[in-house]
Amino acid sequence: MTFTCRRAAHALLVAAVILAVAPTASAAGLRPLRLAFTDGLFVGPTQSLWLQRAAGAGAQIVRLDAGWPAARAPADPSNPTDPAYDFTTLDSSVRNAAADGLTPLLSFTSAPAWAQGPHRPASAPPGSWLPDPGAIEAYGRALAERYNGQFRDPLGSGSVLPKVTLFQLWNEPNLPQYLSPQWQKVSGHWVAVAPNHYRLMLNAFYAGVKAVQPGATVVTAGTAPFGDFGHGQRMMPVLFWSQVLRQPTSFDVLAHQPYSVGPPSTRALNANDVSIPDIGKLTTLLRRAERRGDALPRGLHHPVWVTETGYNTKPPNPGGIAVATAARWLEQTVYLLWSQGVSVVTQYLIRDEPPIPSYDQSSQSGVYYLDGAPKPSLTAFRFPLVGHRATTGHVRAWLRAPVAGRLSVFARRSGRWTAVTTVSVKQDEILDLPVPGKPSALRASEAGLSSLVWTM
């Protein structure tokens, strides 16, 4: 999560949530949705505890910060056993994630000094300056090789490291702190540098991963939601991807990180920015490129994933929103993204960060407080329920089943709760059920678990 997004999240006003009307579907055969977490805790000393809690919260994917663990240039950068590499921490995270039934998404940002472009100015953030595509290709190959499901585990006992099939290159490349320069002046004219260079990086990474694992999924960097006009430091995401897709580009999934300034239904003010209700701007770019067949293979469908989103809460953050509001916004965020075709939604974070050096420069968007106590957002993540109105005006209950079993939906009318329906569900199944009458609130329960109450 960027500093800019944090500042925007801190500035949220506690406001009434205006529920956007989104397309509905029948109760049968609805598109699946995978939920995920991203948090530095997953590669830290308490990783085992927090990976277990991520699985317990109903996540299916964990985005792990793989880093680029080579302080010096490897003699054989495609070889994961080169002594310049140190995968000890990442190996542990991958083992623990697999043991908890989680699918790892390996992501890395920031190039070591030896893998950056020449003549880096002092103003460029470390690790951001024109990362070497050749070095990225070799590192992608090393990652795919180490986690191909056949690589002998260094801990011995004849076992192999778990297989990883999801790989992501970089974070928010439309921001200069991660990829610089964004623009350069050439012969008196401003030229967009970051999109073209990121395309080179992405194509190289794709080639490296696919050389070892042709069936692996390569995910683009998640772009930040907001940029600046003209040739400002931040590039607006629609402009960034428009530039990337001007030439052949290789990836399987496009990622974005649509933080919101206000309730989840708040659209971005600028046409080239992309907040939560604006995902269609990106899918339009993708489908157009797929139809053209020049930048992307003609007809091949590229899904959109959200690899970060979240809301800082008060407490503990003085600039955050009330914990109950944050839980409601989390549910609405998941629903609105799903309704626009997003197939993976990633919560940032699982646990609040300590306010170091300050609340303004840290995030308190976890579903757990810093002391490990759960927030209402934990229930919202595990058992999301949203009441919405179909195009016909009738009320419907959209929800994601936390476990397999018999799920019941209840409606409150005239102060009394009554059962609406009970259905058999699979774990993580998406439902969109009709609710008769004009209820004032909805809730659901299954196998001893209860959703939050959704007030209409």
Side-chain angles (χ1 to χ4, degrees):
M1 186 180 187
T2 68
F3 174 74
T4 301
C5 290
R6 290 184 182 122
R7 288 293 299 273
H10 296 159
L12 294 176
L13 297 177
V14 178
V17 178
I18 302 172
L19 184 59
V21 176
T24 62
S26 65
L30 296 184
R31 289 181 292 100
L33 173 70
R34 288 187 287 175
L35 296 181
F37 281 109
T38 182
D39 198 309
L41 291 172
F42 298 144
V43 291
T46 59
Q47 59 179 252
S48 179
L49 168 65
W50 291 105
L51 287 167
Q52 289 175 13
R53 289 193 173 183
Q60 294 157 300
I61 296 173
V62 283
R63 182 176 172 227
L64 303 179
D65 183 2
W68 194 332
R72 66 181 189 278
D76 185 359
S78 297
N79 182 356
T81 65
D82 189 286
Y85 286 124
D86 181 3
F87 288 105
T88 304
T89 299
L90 185 58
D91 286 351
S92 177
S93 295
V94 170
R95 285 191 207 97
N96 283 321
D100 290 320
L102 296 163
T103 299
L105 166 61
L106 301 191
S107 178
F108 71 99
T109 305
S110 185
W114 56 266
Q116 292 182 77
H119 313 300
R120 180 176 76 87
S123 59
S128 70
W129 185 256
L130 300 174
D132 178 17
I136 287 174
E137 179 175 354
Y139 183 46
R141 185 165 188 145
L143 283 173
E145 182 74 33
R146 191 170 188 89
Y147 303 108
N148 65 4
Q150 301 174 8
F151 192 89
R152 187 172 297 277
D153 193 325
L155 293 184
S157 71
S159 61
V160 296
L161 289 171
K163 186 173 184 177
V164 176
T165 60
L166 304 181
F167 301 89
Q168 182 181 34
L169 176 68
W170 235 248
N171 182 66
E172 297 179 338
N174 57 325
L175 302 183
Q177 54 262 53
Y178 298 115
L179 184 58
S180 61
Q182 292 284 302
W183 303 87
Q184 276 186 337
K185 207 165 191 179
V186 179
S187 301
H189 300 282
W190 285 103
V191 175
V193 174
N196 297 318
H197 193 78
Y198 182 72
R199 185 195 314 111
L200 297 175
M201 294 165 59
L202 184 59
N203 287 346
F205 185 66
Y206 183 94
V209 170
K210 297 286 187 170
V212 179
Q213 291 194 46
T217 298
V218 174
V219 183
T220 73
T223 35
F226 308 113
D228 301 316
F229 285 108
H231 309 107
Q233 287 198 326
R234 306 174 303 164
M235 194 174 297
M236 294 179 178
V238 172
L239 177 59
F240 181 87
W241 288 118
S242 297
Q243 293 280 334
V244 171
L245 294 175
R246 286 185 173 183
Q247 295 183 30
T249 310
S250 298
F251 61 91
D252 299 306
V253 174
L254 187 139
H256 184 60
Q257 299 180 170
Y259 289 95
S260 179
V261 180
S265 55
T266 306
R267 294 188 178 277
L269 293 176
N270 302 319
N272 288 327
D273 286 337
V274 180
S275 194
I276 289 163
D278 306 316
I279 298 298
K281 297 177 183 179
L282 298 181
T283 54
T284 296
L285 284 177
L286 282 173
R287 305 302 163 245
R288 186 181 299 146
E290 291 163 357
R291 288 193 299 270
R292 290 198 319 264
D294 50 359
L296 298 175
R298 181 175 284 110
L300 183 62
H301 181 82
H302 293 75
V304 175
W305 290 6
V306 164
T307 48
E308 279 187 27
T309 190
Y311 301 94
N312 289 321
T313 66
K314 175 185 179 180
N317 192 316
I321 59 175
V323 290
T325 302
R328 182 180 174 100
W329 287 9
L330 189 158
E331 292 179 305
Q332 190 184 3
T333 294
V334 170
Y335 166 67
L336 290 175
L337 291 172
W338 174 86
S339 71
Q340 296 173 89
V342 172
S343 50
V344 172
V345 176
T346 307
Q347 166 68 22
Y348 179 94
L349 305 152
I350 190 169
R351 191 200 72 180
D352 289 350
E353 293 177 338
I356 300 174
S358 66
Y359 281 113
D360 277 352
Q361 298 183 62
S362 60
S363 292
Q364 288 70 45
S365 56
V367 299
Y368 287 91
Y369 291 105
L370 183 60
D371 64 3
K375 299 180 185 179
S377 295
L378 178 61
T379 299
F381 183 91
R382 179 175 174 79
F383 200 167
L385 166 69
V386 172
H388 67 102
R389 297 188 186 278
T391 53
T392 58
H394 297 297
V395 173
R396 300 183 70 90
W398 180 93
L399 64 159
R400 184 175 185 266
V403 294
R406 299 281 290 173
L407 183 148
S408 298
V409 176
F410 301 85
R412 187 172 64 199
R413 301 181 185 88
S414 302
R416 298 184 61 184
W417 287 100
T418 57
V420 172
T421 186
T422 299
V423 294
S424 295
V425 296
K426 300 176 183 177
Q427 184 172 347
D428 306 322
E429 184 176 356
I430 299 293
L431 303 172
D432 194 8
L433 304 170
V435 179
K438 297 181 179 179
S440 60
L442 302 172
R443 64 179 175 86
S445 64
E446 182 191 7
L449 301 171
S450 296
S451 73
L452 300 175
V453 173
W454 181 274
T455 302
M456 298 299 297

